[in-house]
Amino acid sequence: NAGVTQTPKFQVLKTGQSMTLQCAQDMNHNSMYWYRQDPGMGLRLIYYSASEGTTDKGEVPNGYNVSRLNKREFSLRLESAAPSQTSVYFCASSHLGVGNGYTFGSGTRLTVV
Amino acid sequence: ELKVEQNPLFLSMQEGKNYTIYCNYSTTSDRLYWYRQDPGKSLESLFVLLSNGAVKQEGRLMASLDTKARLSTLHITAAVHDLSATYFCAVDIGGTSYGKLTFGQGTILTVHP
């Protein structure tokens, strides 16, 4: 029972490089999310996808793009990484309306130098 | 703009003692979640509170929700070392923001022998 799988787990980028964080869930959830976690600030929503084919901005979307490839997969892309994007990124999924809460992936620790 | 505030942010407890973590939020909501995070790990769902007056208990932890006061509490009974972790509350205000969680800053709990 894999739940939510994120890759990679760790990544170091140089300023200006691009990369894509991958997320896949096997729970048949309709909604998926990308959060970033910075010290002392809890988690902040970057983008979310309420259902396959839809995406919307969260609280801190600048510098990011997303793709909901299919029901299982939701990727986060950094087109031109900046040191301010150094953070831990979590993908999550949920089945809205069921009230079972959200399942989080194990996180990607990204450092931009 | 929804604000979610936890207090205390740091909590050092002795084993066997009781304590309460408070989660205040600024906008009407009847969906509140509690999560636990161990260092370097993902978030683990503890409680899902979906109505005013909801109370849920699991082991030494009990969570409650007062939607009129916009307050949730996480009560720890007879703390043990294994409860040392960071605890987050998160609020979903519904409506056009349905499904999007806003997190508190987190409470770092350390339980000492």
Side-chain angles (χ1 to χ4, degrees):
Chain A
N1 186 8
V4 178
T5 302
Q6 289 183 235
T7 55
K9 294 191 183 305
F10 302 93
Q11 184 72 49
V12 178
L13 289 179
K14 293 183 179 179
T15 298
Q17 286 186 318
S18 62
M19 79 161 294
T20 299
L21 282 63
Q22 306 287 352
C23 175
Q25 53 94 6
D26 62 1
M27 296 170 287
N28 203 35
H29 285 167
N30 49 15
S31 300
M32 297 185 73
Y33 311 83
W34 277 104
Y35 288 89
R36 61 178 287 173
Q37 183 177 25
D38 301 295
M41 299 187 73
L43 279 75
R44 292 180 292 168
L45 182 64
I46 305 170
Y47 269 94
Y48 76 105
S49 171
S51 61
E52 186 178 355
T54 68
T55 62
D56 206 349
K57 295 177 181 179
E59 181 184 355
V60 288
N62 291 344
Y64 306 95
N65 285 301
V66 291
S67 295
R68 183 74 182 267
L69 305 171
N70 48 55
K71 191 170 185 178
R72 291 186 62 248
E73 298 173 287
F74 188 39
S75 63
L76 178 71
R77 182 162 179 82
L78 287 70
E79 291 291 353
S80 178
S84 61
Q85 294 178 304
T86 294
S87 188
V88 181
Y89 292 85
F90 287 99
C91 177
S93 70
S94 70
H95 201 79
L96 289 183
V98 174
N100 288 337
Y102 299 70
T103 301
F104 284 81
S106 57
T108 296
R109 190 172 296 273
L110 175 67
T111 302
V112 183
V113 297
Chain B
E1 179 189 345
L2 172 63
K3 292 191 186 304
V4 181
E5 294 185 346
Q6 291 180 231
N7 74 83
L9 299 183
F10 300 93
L11 179 54
S12 180
M13 297 177 63
Q14 273 191 308
E15 282 190 332
K17 298 292 187 182
N18 304 332
Y19 210 85
T20 300
I21 299 171
Y22 297 89
C23 174
N24 290 90
Y25 53 97
S26 61
T27 303
T28 300
S29 170
D30 58 4
R31 292 184 180 85
L32 191 136
Y33 304 83
W34 283 96
Y35 290 91
R36 167 182 171 144
Q37 186 180 39
D38 293 303
K41 303 294 186 182
S42 184
L43 281 75
E44 172 191 353
S45 180
L46 293 175
F47 300 108
V48 179
L49 304 171
L50 298 177
S51 62
N52 185 41
V55 177
K56 291 196 175 180
Q57 183 164 4
E58 181 73 33
R60 301 175 187 274
L61 301 178
M62 183 174 70
S64 65
L65 178 62
D66 181 343
T67 59
K68 294 179 182 176
R70 299 177 186 172
L71 171 68
S72 179
T73 60
L74 180 66
H75 187 71
I76 303 157
T77 301
V80 293
H81 179 70
D82 285 352
L83 290 179
S84 297
T86 299
Y87 293 84
F88 292 96
C89 63
V91 175
D92 177 354
I93 62 172
T96 56
S97 296
Y98 182 43
K100 296 192 283 187
L101 295 181
T102 299
F103 281 79
Q105 312 97 307
T107 296
I108 300 174
L109 171 65
T110 305
V111 181
H112 298 285

